[in-house]
Amino acid sequence: MKRQLRALAAAGLLLAGSLVAVAFGGTASADTQICEQYGSTVIQGRYVVQNNRWGTTAQQCINATSNGFEITTLNGSSPTNGAPTAYPSIFFGCHYTNCSPGTNLPMQVSQISSATSSISYRYVGGATYNASYDIWLDPSPKRDGVNQMEIMIWLNRQGPIQPIGSVVGTTNLAGRTWEVWRGSNGSNNVISYVASSAVSSLNFSVLDFINDTRNRGAISNSWYLTSIQAGFEPWQGGVGLAVTSFSAAVNGGGQPPTNPPGGARCAVKYTANSWNNGFTADVLISNTGSSAINGWTLNYSLPGGQQVTNAWNATVSQSGSAVTARNISHNGSIAPGGTASFGYQGTLSGSYSSPTNFSLNGASCSRN
């Protein structure tokens, strides 16, 4: 799920499902043409269709239908040893702050009792592309930016292209055998499940693929499912490719996560410097638990009159008084006894005071 192009993991390896979504317009009732680079629309009042032309400046247009979409114009092309031109797709969940209407995602994996989906594709000849179903997960309930784990299901591969990484084995899921690839594109980890021949439709349990990825040690039950998406990665040609139907449903009722033994697993030191109409704050997070923290989201509320204007070493957003700070790529892991820090600058109206209550990934933190 990417607004920026992801670097190749190594020479000759290809990028996996790079995604972008910025909402344009409203709900598609009849066929709706989308030619904006990151244009999107809603169908069935439930799913988002996105053009997502991230890898080329050439024009690409899709028609959003009542059940999916079709690529109608595709002028760009890319070398097969590099990234694809785009990822036009349909999704359920949240992607770069664009959430499908009424979605219950993100949802913690441990709380999911079932996650099912069905997909039907229409393929064309004379083109180089893959038909890919993407499942995105992150250690935090992330609604924007790049998630740390991408599961790709390759239902069709045409031309000399391959997934990120290398083959690590095979597995049997959804009633068929898949070749399993594993690697990283520099922004997130990728596990790909590649069908041996083209699959034009599939009705399956998304949770089965999530559980297989978990059993490979790539995620844990404390991670969050953020979105599930189906579409195409074209390299050369592809007009006429279509998703003719798509459905997805994620249900809760699984086992909720338990609190770490021994009370809080985190402590926060908040150091501020204020002046008449502004302030800066340095925040130090300590892992006081016995296991590593892989990905963190810190939540707290700023006193009235304080507004964050810019930040460093974290992605910091504010809604009213509520502040959400999420790790960036280089400081997402905190070993037991280790720390991570970030800071920000803000404007101030009135007298200054510091926040007092902090929670990390849903667990309350003590104050240092």
Side-chain angles (χ1 to χ4, degrees):
M1 305 186 304
K2 313 340 177 249
R3 295 201 175 190
Q4 70 276 20
L5 301 185
R6 295 182 298 181
L8 294 178
L13 298 183
L14 304 185
L15 292 181
S18 294
L19 313 181
V20 180
V22 176
F24 289 84
T27 300
S29 53
D31 286 10
T32 300
Q33 181 173 262
I34 305 173
C35 295
E36 296 92 347
Q37 183 175 10
Y38 302 131
S40 69
T41 192
V42 173
I43 67 169
Q44 301 180 26
R46 179 174 173 82
Y47 307 116
V48 176
V49 173
Q50 60 178 357
N51 193 29
N52 192 11
R53 176 176 52 83
W54 64 270
T56 179
T57 58
Q59 186 182 45
Q60 172 182 288
C61 298
I62 62 174
N63 272 354
T65 67
S66 58
N67 295 311
F69 70 90
E70 177 183 359
I71 300 176
T72 57
T73 303
L74 205 163
N75 294 328
S77 64
S78 296
T80 56
N81 63 347
T85 63
Y87 185 68
S89 57
I90 179 172
F91 72 84
F92 173 79
C94 292
H95 175 66
Y96 272 103
T97 72
N98 190 7
C99 293
S100 57
T103 185
N104 55 355
L105 301 182
M107 183 182 292
Q108 200 160 39
V109 171
S110 62
Q111 296 179 334
I112 298 174
S113 60
S114 66
T116 57
S117 186
S118 64
I119 180 74
S120 294
Y121 290 98
R122 184 176 72 235
Y123 299 133
V124 299
T128 299
Y129 64 90
N130 72 40
S132 119
Y133 191 105
D134 275 20
I135 305 166
W136 290 93
L137 302 110
D138 196 78
S140 63
K142 198 165 191 176
R143 291 175 173 85
D144 61 349
V146 179
N147 283 192
Q148 292 190 25
M149 185 70 230
E150 177 183 13
I151 301 172
M152 292 190 73
I153 306 174
W154 287 46
L155 292 111
N156 191 4
R157 172 171 51 167
Q158 295 297 313
I161 56 175
Q162 69 179 45
I164 274 288
S166 57
V167 177
V168 295
T170 60
T171 190
N172 293 307
L173 296 169
R176 63 183 63 245
T177 300
W178 306 85
E179 188 177 64
V180 184
W181 294 62
R182 188 166 183 172
S184 173
N185 58 43
S187 295
N188 56 267
N189 296 318
V190 185
I191 291 181
S192 301
Y193 299 85
V194 182
S196 58
S197 60
V199 180
S200 59
S201 64
L202 193 68
N203 190 342
F204 67 105
S205 169
V206 174
L207 195 56
D208 286 350
F209 286 86
I210 293 174
N211 288 340
D212 186 80
T213 298
R214 180 203 60 205
N215 293 341
R216 296 175 187 275
I219 66 166
S220 71
N221 280 339
S222 66
W223 283 46
Y224 291 81
L225 172 63
T226 63
S227 69
I228 45 185
Q229 311 177 334
F232 300 95
E233 288 184 323
W235 272 260
Q236 298 168 5
V239 170
L241 290 170
V243 170
T244 57
S245 68
F246 174 83
S247 67
V250 180
N251 297 307
Q255 295 299 315
T258 57
N259 290 326
R265 57 180 289 183
C266 54
V268 172
K269 183 178 181 180
Y270 191 94
T271 306
N273 177 38
S274 64
W275 55 93
N276 288 340
N277 58 359
F279 72 100
T280 59
D282 293 309
V283 186
L284 181 70
I285 303 168
S286 298
N287 180 359
T288 59
S290 58
S291 58
I293 296 171
N294 294 309
W296 51 264
T297 299
L298 185 71
N299 296 101
Y300 54 97
S301 294
L302 285 178
Q306 298 182 25
Q307 181 67 45
V308 176
T309 57
N310 61 82
W312 49 92
N313 291 330
T315 301
V316 180
S317 59
Q318 183 175 353
S319 177
S321 62
V323 173
T324 301
R326 294 188 175 96
N327 68 274
I328 57 177
S329 59
H330 74 262
N331 64 357
S333 297
I334 312 176
T339 62
S341 63
F342 68 95
Y344 54 87
Q345 184 174 358
T347 58
L348 174 64
S349 175
S351 60
Y352 176 82
S353 59
S354 294
T356 55
N357 296 314
F358 300 85
S359 65
L360 188 74
N361 294 350
S364 295
C365 298
S366 61
R367 286 292 304 277
N368 275 344

